[in-house]
Amino acid sequence: MTSVRTLGAALTGLILAGCGGSGPDPETGLMALTGATVIDGTGGPAFEDGVVLVRGDELACVGSAADCPVPDGTPRTDLTGHFITPGLVDAHVHFDQTGWLDGRPEALATDVYPYDETIQYLWDDPGRWHRAFLCSGITAVYDVGGAVWTVTDEQATDTDRPDRAHVRAAGPLITHVDYNAPFMVGMLADQPVFLPMQSEADIAEDIAFLQSIGAQAVKVWYLRPDPDDAERLDALLMAAGEAADAAGLPLLVHATDLREAKLALRAGAFMLVHSVGDQPVDQEFLDLLIANDTFYAPTLIVGGNWNEAVIAASEQNVSVIDDPNGCVDAALRDRISNIAAYEDFAGQLSAEDIAQRRADYMEEMDIMQANLLAVYEAGVRIVTSTDSGNPLTLHGAAINPEMEAMQAAGLPASAIIEMSTRAGADAMGMADRFGTLEAGKLADLIVLSSDPRADIANMRDLTHVMRAGFLLEQSDLQLYTAPVE
Ligand SMILES: [Zn+2]
């Protein structure tokens, strides 16, 4: 038997029940979390036996018991033995992708799962991913590219609801990639995911369009150009940077090779949305990152997950998913389990192909992890980012293996906590509202039963999520409960 509970239902229950008797004091509007070790995300020392006082949707006081005396009569939630951090921020997600092989324009098995039906299905319920994010302790996300609705549909982007994560969204991507490529087919006509980049006139039109729909960034998808055409396209990337700057929008660039990533930095990139993975970074690259104060979004796990999804289709094996907190909903689990839908792909990869794919990815991962450490040691601003929505990089759940891959690269857990909270809020331009636990900011936080400073894998031990002052037990946010044997 499975049970599915939505945050909407949980919030209704919460309001009716007054948070199990621990709703705010009716006179002062205050409630208190006491006894936990509070890691406020500012980089200062943690508060042992700390106090978090919440009034309405905001933090009223965060500190030691002496800093934040709890007025008599204030309802308390005793969290002794627990750890509190700001809510997590995933700085690279895609609302218009499912997390499986059906969710991209070049999807496999479109006879079973027609792509236009899948995108309509995604558009019909963006709240689905908000529920997955909150279930995983993620209270804010940066959607760095997608269909028009990802910026225009308020069900996706309305950030002032306690049952939603905060969102900043870039909308359709500007790219030089050929419009006849398989990527481009199957999109809804009035919902483009890609905009052309063949001339300066294209770019001007694209940016005017992005402004007209309310896009909050300009994302350029810049793949390694054909050497014969590189000079022309490189100049267009620079032009896109100038046009984004003139429009007052941050430039986000997908450029995974060192040459193109440097060019993106020269074009004024505010964020590189992936690691450099083709070769070790050099001092010139690090100097450009520092000079531009650019955010670096490593997305370490997405490539390996893609590989495993394709291998699963070829081998006709159902993928084992990493879902530490029951945040992958039953509908998505059903699609991942229905590997028979991909039977046309069975056996398309030989054992040698599969071994080669895995070896190539391990080699790329080694380069990306060494580059991440170099970027960290140079003092660059790094944001935790999963690229969720891509096959087997699951909205919400992917944040844990991503943080663990950052730790495996040699980054200290305490630094990863900051990259997963304050830095993400900074990248979203919303650090005045969330990202650290300080009086006056929104009460967005998570509670853990083990210390994330000791091992970032302890971020899996999520017991509560507070969004805008609503404290929920993680078990009430779960979208999937394993059947009882
Ligand atoms: Zn992406």
Side-chain angles (χ1 to χ4, degrees), residues 3 16 37 80 106 161 184 210 226 238-239 286 309 341 352 360 364 375 378 387 399 427 444-445 448 455 480:
S3 86
L16 291 176
T37 299
T80 301
E106 73 276 39
R161 294 171 49 166
M184 306 297 181
L210 291 172
D226 187 322
M238 299 301 284
L286 298 173
E352 293 74 34
D360 288 349
E364 189 186 356
V375 163
D387 208 355
I399 195 132
D444 291 352
L445 56 81
L448 305 161
D455 181 349
Y480 178 81

Side-chain angles (χ1 to χ4, degrees), residues 101-456:
L101 289 163
D102 57 350
R104 302 223 348 163
E106 73 276 39
L108 306 177
T110 48
D111 51 333
V112 184
Y113 302 121
Y115 180 61
D116 52 357
E117 286 177 21
T118 299
I119 42 182
Q120 187 63 52
Y121 168 68
L122 288 166
W123 188 3
D124 286 345
D125 183 18
R128 181 183 184 192
W129 304 140
H130 284 281
R131 294 190 286 277
F133 295 135
L134 292 176
C135 172
S136 308
I138 296 168
T139 54
V141 294
Y142 207 143
D143 185 328
V144 302
V148 170
W149 67 260
T150 63
V151 293
T152 58
D153 190 313
E154 68 177 32
Q155 291 300 311
T157 61
D158 181 356
T159 63
D160 290 327
R161 294 171 49 166
D163 62 343
R164 294 285 189 261
H166 303 275
V167 178
R168 186 169 181 129
L173 326 175
I174 298 176
T175 186
H176 59 96
V177 174
D178 177 7
Y179 261 54
N180 295 314
F183 294 99
M184 306 297 181
V185 299
M187 296 179 290
L188 298 182
D190 60 343
Q191 290 289 322
V193 178
F194 301 99
L195 302 172
M197 183 183 160
Q198 292 302 325
S199 67
E200 291 201 24
D202 278 353
I203 291 166
E205 213 171 290
D206 295 344
I207 290 186
F209 176 70
L210 291 172
Q211 287 184 294
S212 76
I213 61 171
Q216 295 173 300
V218 171
K219 162 86 173 282
V220 177
W221 201 48
Y222 200 67
L223 307 189
R224 184 189 302 167
D226 187 322
D228 294 340
D229 206 12
E231 195 177 331
R232 183 181 75 91
L233 292 173
D234 288 354
L236 288 172
L237 175 57
M238 299 301 284
E242 279 172 36
D245 187 50
L249 291 172
L251 177 69
L252 316 180
V253 186
H254 169 120
T256 57
D257 291 352
L258 184 60
R259 191 195 83 89
E260 285 71 34
K262 283 183 185 174
L263 195 74
L265 294 171
R266 293 203 177 88
F270 176 80
M271 192 195 313
L272 295 181
V273 301
H274 294 290
S275 286
V276 168
D278 68 322
Q279 59 182 295
V281 296
D282 57 17
Q283 193 59 44
E284 183 185 33
F285 177 75
L286 298 173
D287 290 345
L288 281 165
L289 277 170
I290 292 289
N292 287 4
D293 211 11
T294 302
F295 287 96
Y296 186 84
T299 66
L300 297 172
I301 63 169
V302 64
N305 289 339
W306 250 107
N307 244 351
E308 293 306 320
V310 172
I311 292 167
S314 179
E315 292 187 330
Q316 290 287 288
N317 280 334
V318 175
S319 300
V320 177
I321 61 172
D322 184 4
D323 183 19
N325 285 291
C327 301
V328 179
D329 66 45
L332 179 52
R333 283 172 172 270
D334 285 349
R335 285 212 174 183
I336 294 171
S337 299
N338 186 18
I339 202 69
Y342 300 88
E343 62 186 359
D344 288 352
F345 201 73
Q348 295 222 350
L349 300 176
S350 67
E352 293 74 34
D353 293 337
I354 290 169
Q356 190 62 50
R357 275 174 170 257
R358 287 184 170 142
D360 288 349
Y361 182 68
M362 280 176 67
E363 192 180 322
E364 189 186 356
M365 180 63 118
D366 286 345
I367 294 170
M368 291 193 296
Q369 288 184 318
N371 286 345
L372 177 59
L373 188 59
V375 163
Y376 169 68
E377 287 174 344
V380 171
R381 299 199 288 180
I382 296 165
V383 282
T384 298
S385 48
T386 63
D387 208 355
S388 67
N390 281 293
L392 292 179
T393 300
L394 303 166
H395 289 299
I399 195 132
N400 295 109
E402 182 67 32
M403 291 188 290
E404 290 153 22
M406 294 164 78
Q407 182 171 263
L411 273 54
S414 56
I416 299 168
I417 295 170
E418 189 268 332
M419 293 167 191
S420 309
T421 56
R422 179 175 61 169
D426 264 333
M428 290 174 70
M430 299 172 90
D432 58 330
R433 299 188 66 204
F434 59 85
T436 57
L437 302 179
E438 296 175 276
K441 292 200 180 178
L442 284 167
D444 291 352
L445 56 81
I446 59 174
V447 183
L448 305 161
S449 59
S450 55
D451 189 347
R453 297 168 301 177
D455 181 349
I456 207 68

